[in-house]
C-alpha cells in the first residue's frame, strides 16, 4: 500500500495559476491534486488517459465539444481519453479538487504531452 500526503508534495505550476501535485498511484491509475487560482485557465489539450475528478472548493468551467459544463463543490466529472478539453476558473476563489487518471499519468504538466 502507498500513502502520499498532499502536505508532503511540492506542487508544480503547470500553467500560470494552475498548481498540480501528483499523489498516490498504481499500475492502472493515479491521483493528482489541483488548485486553480481565480482567473487562471487550462488551455485546450488532450491526452490518452481517461480523467475523472472531484471538485471540493470553488467553481470550474470546462469546455469540450463546443459545450461549457460548470462544476462546483461536490461535483464530479469524467473526460474520455483523447477528448480535447479546457478549463477556467471564472470565480473569485481558488478551485481545489482531485483528478484520477487511467492509465497513470507520469507527468502532470500537460503542456509537455
Amino acid at each position: 500500500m502507498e500513502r502520499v500526503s498532499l502536505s508532503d508534495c511540492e506542487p508544480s505550476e503547470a500553467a500560470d495559476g494552475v498548481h498540480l501535485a501528483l499523489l498516490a498511484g498504481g499500475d492502472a491509475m493515479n491521483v493528482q491534486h489541483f488548485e486553480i487560482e481565480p482567473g487562471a485557465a487550462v488551455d485546450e489539450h488532450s491526452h490518452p488517459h481517461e480523467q475523472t475528478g472531484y471538485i471540493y472548493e470553488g467553481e470550474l468551467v470546462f469546455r469540450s465539444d463546443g459545450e461549457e459544463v460548470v462544476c462546483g463543490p461536490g461535483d464530479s466529472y469524467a473526460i474520455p481519453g483523447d477528448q480535447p478539453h479546457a478549463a477556467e476558473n471564472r470565480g473569485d476563489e481558488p478551485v481545489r479538487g482531485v483528478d484520477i487518471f487511467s492509465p497513470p499519468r507520469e507527468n502532470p504538466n500537460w503542456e509537455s504531452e
Side-chain angles (χ1 to χ4, degrees), residues 5-6 13-14 19 29-30 32-33 36 41 46 51-52 56 58-59 63-64 75-76 80 86 88-89 94 101 109:
S5 175
L6 180 58
E13 190 167 19
H19 308 275
M29 70 184 86
N30 65 355
Q32 173 183 281
H33 181 269
I36 303 175
S46 66
Q51 177 179 350
T52 60
Y56 66 86
E59 189 174 272
R63 291 185 317 277
S64 182
D75 290 338
S76 62
E88 182 179 2
N89 179 354
F101 293 97
N109 183 350

Side-chain angles (χ1 to χ4, degrees), residues 12-62:
S12 63
E13 190 167 19
D16 287 341
V18 178
H19 308 275
L20 307 176
L22 197 57
L23 300 173
D27 292 336
M29 70 184 86
N30 65 355
V31 179
Q32 173 183 281
H33 181 269
F34 62 85
E35 180 174 332
I36 303 175
E37 297 173 12
V42 176
D43 291 336
E44 185 174 271
H45 65 286
S46 66
H47 41 73
H49 316 82
E50 287 184 307
Q51 177 179 350
T52 60
Y54 178 80
I55 306 285
Y56 66 86
E57 187 175 305
E59 189 174 272
L60 196 58
V61 179
F62 287 92

Side-chain angles (χ1 to χ4, degrees), residues 44-46 62-69 78-86:
E44 185 174 271
H45 65 286
S46 66
F62 287 92
R63 291 185 317 277
S64 182
D65 290 333
E67 296 182 358
E68 287 192 352
V69 176
I79 303 169
D82 295 318
Q83 180 173 330
H85 56 284

